[in-house]
Amino acid sequence: MTQTTIPEQGIRALLDLDWLRENIRCQHRCPAHMDVPGYIRLISQGKFEESYRLMKETNPFPAVCGYVCPHPCESKCKRGDFDRPVAIDALKRFVTDYVFKNKIKIPAPAIVKKKEKIAIIGAGPAGLTAAFDLAGMGYKVTVFEKEAQVGGMMMWAIPSYRLPREQIIFDVSHILERGVQIKTNTPIGGKGKSFSDLLEMGYDAVFIAVGAQIGKRLEIAGEEGTDGVMDCLVFLKNVSAGDTRKPGENIVVIGGGNSAVDAARTAKRLSKNVSIVYRRTREEMPALSWEVEEAEHEGVDFHFLAAPVKIVTENGKAKGLECIKMQLGKPDESGRRRPEPIPDSTFVIDTDCVISAISQEPDLKFLGDKHGLKVNKWGTIAVDGNLATSKKGVFAGGDVTLGPSTIIECIAQGHIAANSINRFISGESLKEPKKKVWVTLLDSEIDLREENYDATPRQDMQLLPEHEREGSFDLVELGLDEFQAAREANRCLKCDLTINVETNECVLCGRCSMVCPVGALKQVDAFDQSKEHRPFMSKDGIVVKYTDKCIRCGNCKDCPVNVISMKRVLWQPNEDVNKFL
């Protein structure tokens, strides 16, 4: 196993993702496999710049993700087994805010340049991540962007009260420092360069990362040509561009995803009466739960178990939205119960503005009629596990292959594309190698690992008061202060410490000692040979470890790495218990 010593972090190792999945759940759950325990530990040590540098090893958009990432890592945080998960995303934001506010310069690494050129279509998170990686490998990278600004949906579709635009530019500036050339106002296709032209212009590979920028139609009567009916992406883009005119007096948003909630909260800042119509229940909304909660706090109304039937019009303008009540039937292919209409249950919501936010799909017209790429039934570009398309030298990733997804998922796609393009240009097989990732394994602070960890509550960031949000696009989530960040970082259980890579020994998550009702188990320093690790057994022969107080409740056997097992054995008093282990 290859290892590199990094003084600030102890020992790091390049490990298989299968091993990572079993041992460091938060890091594995992150699509980009950021070294979550590593950068949190550096925060607890007050090493904010070092933490930021570590973040950027796997994520060129740490600032953006600190504000808007859905933080799937927290869903697997072992601290959540006891109280609440570590506020991983808030800690990431604290560090990136610290670097940004203090104007700390992170110099670009020295790069050995290569002769090969790579074209990337689309300056969103997938395209720019691939550009960041490929430029770091020495390639000459040019990104073609049709819009006047970089960032893709980060710039246009996420409201500024969630993501300040300067944070996007801050992350992009570090990508530019690697020598990446971004050509804005340069669409591919149409009157500009065609897709086929790029390979003929001498680019050795092309990566398509144009996103999914077309809203799907409702396909209901009254939708076509009606004044007051609009797509959520068009609405959000116009507002981001500075158009803050009231779209209507009574606004209805149709959909239950993040775009629907963003559109509703944005509309609420421009108009008093805003509601969301969703055909399932609140519990089944795919939108982030905390965003739905904030929408409620801001006064957005919800019509659950309702689906649009037609848009009522008068003189070419929207006058109302006719809906039908729904009930949940049997589960569909997604695992959610399928909504079914209730006969004779239609009702009308008065509205002069209907915003559709049911989903998005890619716009592939720029490719032309003879692009030679395979497109699947969902309208996305078909790729293999390496993100290679059906055309040699052409790769695609992000929303253009996944459909609507998250920023961190697109970042992960950018990493895959960069590695695949590098192997392609280098003449290596595109057969995907076993994935590996750098993780932190050891640290000198093991003795401090459990100090008061069970007594410190999760630190919640301050929010902008609800009455101050009316008509304002000021930031809502105000972030953690330095004191809160230190307390929150110290809540981490440091599951990555003292892991024996060969035997999958105890990760010191603390679960067993936490759930033991009689204090029979405790955490000890595995490297201190003066401490006894003799196993003990309860009176009816249930094997446990460390003490003989066990009451055989079985709570401890739910061990994330299967170190603790319980088995019944035939044991006689004074018999050596070790032979049973």
Side-chain angles (χ1 to χ4, degrees):
M1 179 179 295
T2 304
Q3 292 187 339
T4 301
T5 299
I6 300 180
E8 294 86 358
Q9 300 167 238
I11 298 176
R12 304 186 72 208
L14 193 62
L15 301 175
D16 293 336
L17 287 185
D18 289 340
W19 180 91
L20 183 67
R21 181 186 298 112
E22 298 297 327
N23 292 278
I24 309 178
R25 298 187 299 182
C26 60
Q27 184 172 355
H28 179 266
R29 185 63 183 85
C30 172
H33 305 305
M34 296 184 72
D35 188 351
V36 176
Y39 72 69
I40 288 179
R41 184 150 54 256
L42 288 168
I43 296 172
S44 71
Q45 298 168 357
K47 299 177 179 177
F48 307 139
E49 183 177 339
E50 292 89 339
S51 177
Y52 180 78
R53 289 175 181 269
L54 182 57
M55 292 177 189
K56 289 190 70 68
E57 288 187 14
T58 48
N59 187 348
F61 290 99
V64 169
C65 288
Y67 280 82
V68 297
C69 184
H71 45 77
C73 50
E74 291 186 21
S75 69
K76 294 297 183 180
C77 174
K78 292 176 186 175
R79 180 68 193 235
D81 292 343
F82 314 130
D83 49 16
R84 296 175 65 195
V86 175
I88 297 171
D89 209 43
L91 288 172
K92 187 188 298 98
R93 174 178 162 183
F94 166 78
V95 167
T96 56
D97 280 350
Y98 177 89
V99 172
F100 177 77
K101 291 174 182 176
N102 288 281
K103 300 181 180 180
I104 297 174
K105 297 295 183 182
I106 308 296
I111 298 172
V112 178
K113 298 294 184 180
K114 298 178 180 179
K115 63 180 181 179
E116 291 87 356
K117 300 190 304 179
I118 298 163
I120 296 176
I121 307 175
L128 292 179
T129 296
F132 180 81
D133 288 356
L134 290 164
M137 297 174 190
Y139 294 106
K140 183 177 180 180
V141 182
T142 303
V143 181
F144 297 92
E145 170 57 50
K146 69 174 182 178
E147 302 289 353
Q149 290 181 294
V150 300
M153 290 302 175
M154 296 185 295
M155 184 67 72
W156 297 116
I158 300 178
S160 58
Y161 62 81
R162 290 183 59 204
L163 176 60
R165 297 306 183 249
E166 59 265 24
Q167 297 296 335
I168 304 173
I169 301 302
F170 179 62
D171 282 339
V172 172
S173 68
H174 295 133
I175 297 173
L176 294 172
E177 287 174 359
R178 289 199 169 192
V180 174
Q181 184 181 18
I182 302 177
K183 295 185 176 182
T184 55
N185 294 311
T186 309
I188 299 298
K191 296 181 180 180
K193 298 180 178 65
S194 71
F195 162 70
S196 300
D197 287 341
L198 296 178
L199 292 175
E200 296 176 2
M201 291 170 59
Y203 288 102
D204 297 276
V206 176
F207 178 47
I208 302 173
V210 295
Q213 53 298 65
I214 299 179
K216 288 189 176 181
R217 291 172 51 82
L218 295 170
E219 303 293 346
I220 61 175
E223 178 181 18
E224 186 68 29
T226 300
D227 187 15
V229 178
M230 65 185 72
D231 173 68
C232 74
L233 293 183
V234 174
F235 169 65
L236 290 170
K237 183 176 180 179
N238 289 341
V239 174
S240 294
D243 184 358
T244 56
R245 292 174 295 176
K246 183 188 300 186
E249 294 294 334
N250 300 292
I251 302 169
V252 175
V253 179
I254 302 173
N258 290 318
S259 295
V261 175
D262 282 345
R265 293 182 68 190
T266 298
K268 185 65 180 176
R269 284 158 168 76
L270 305 176
S271 186
K272 289 185 177 181
N273 301 315
V274 179
S275 59
I276 287 179
V277 171
Y278 180 54
R279 61 181 185 157
R280 288 185 165 99
T281 66
R282 171 176 174 162
E283 290 71 26
E284 294 173 301
M285 288 185 73
L288 301 173
S289 59
W290 54 93
E291 293 294 328
V292 176
E293 184 176 339
E294 290 306 315
E296 288 182 319
H297 291 165
E298 293 169 3
V300 175
D301 295 324
F302 287 82
H303 298 277
F304 294 113
L305 289 173
V309 175
K310 72 175 182 180
I311 296 171
V312 181
T313 63
E314 185 177 89
N315 299 324
K317 297 181 180 181
K319 183 181 179 182
L321 178 67
E322 183 177 324
C323 300
I324 188 168
K325 294 180 180 179
M326 309 293 283
Q327 61 186 356
L328 296 181
K330 295 180 180 180
D332 60 16
E333 60 276 2
S334 70
R336 297 182 297 174
R337 295 172 64 190
R338 187 187 304 275
E340 299 172 347
I342 300 175
D344 303 320
S345 64
T346 57
F347 63 99
V348 175
I349 302 173
D350 292 333
T351 177
D352 56 346
C353 178
V354 177
I355 300 176
S356 172
I358 57 173
S359 190
Q360 299 91 42
E361 58 189 1
D363 182 1
L364 302 181
K365 292 192 294 292
F366 76 96
L367 293 174
D369 296 330
K370 299 180 180 180
H371 52 72
L373 302 179
K374 183 179 179 181
V375 178
N376 59 38
K377 62 181 181 180
W378 298 283
T380 55
I381 296 177
V383 293
D384 62 17
N386 301 293
L387 302 187
T389 69
S390 54
K391 190 168 186 176
K392 185 177 180 181
V394 178
F395 299 78
D399 288 359
V400 76
T401 60
L402 297 174
S405 56
T406 64
I407 292 173
I408 192 66
E409 288 173 320
C410 290
I411 289 169
Q413 291 264 294
H415 288 317
I416 295 171
N419 288 329
S420 297
I421 290 171
N422 180 50
R423 295 203 307 274
F424 168 75
I425 292 178
S426 301
E428 300 176 17
S429 171
L430 273 184
K431 183 178 180 181
E432 192 171 6
K434 194 168 186 179
K435 294 181 180 179
K436 293 179 179 291
V437 65
W438 284 101
V439 300
T440 303
L441 290 179
L442 298 177
D443 189 275
S444 60
E445 295 188 344
I446 184 170
D447 293 330
L448 301 177
R449 182 188 175 280
E450 302 219 8
E451 182 179 348
N452 295 324
Y453 85 88
D454 57 339
T456 305
R458 176 175 165 126
Q459 304 297 295
D460 294 322
M461 68 176 67
Q462 183 180 355
L463 301 178
L464 185 70
E466 292 157 21
H467 68 274
E468 295 184 21
R469 305 180 197 180
E470 298 179 6
S472 168
F473 284 84
D474 290 344
L475 193 63
V476 170
E477 296 181 337
L478 305 182
L480 302 177
D481 60 32
E482 190 166 333
F483 174 76
Q484 287 180 302
R487 284 176 63 85
E488 187 62 26
N490 279 307
R491 292 182 68 243
C492 177
L493 298 181
K494 302 179 175 65
C495 303
D496 59 323
L497 298 186
T498 68
I499 295 173
N500 186 311
V501 179
E502 301 299 328
T503 63
N504 266 3
E505 291 182 356
C506 175
V507 298
L508 295 183
C509 70
R511 180 177 177 83
C512 59
S513 59
M514 190 71 175
V515 300
C516 180
V518 294
L521 295 165
K522 61 182 179 180
Q523 304 296 301
V524 297
D525 188 345
F527 295 103
D528 187 347
Q529 299 301 317
S530 67
K531 295 184 178 180
E532 192 173 31
H533 298 277
R534 183 167 61 90
F536 286 85
M537 182 181 299
S538 63
K539 291 182 179 179
D540 63 349
I542 302 297
V543 174
V544 293
K545 289 187 177 182
Y546 300 129
T547 82
D548 56 357
K549 298 178 181 178
C550 175
I551 60 173
R552 60 197 179 280
C553 67
N555 288 353
C556 64
K557 68 178 181 180
D558 184 20
C559 175
V561 290
N562 298 317
V563 170
I564 296 178
S565 61
M566 303 187 71
K567 56 185 177 181
R568 190 175 300 276
V569 297
L570 297 175
W571 173 69
Q572 300 297 325
N574 301 321
E575 188 172 9
D576 182 10
V577 72
N578 288 294
K579 72 179 184 179
F580 296 107
L581 303 181

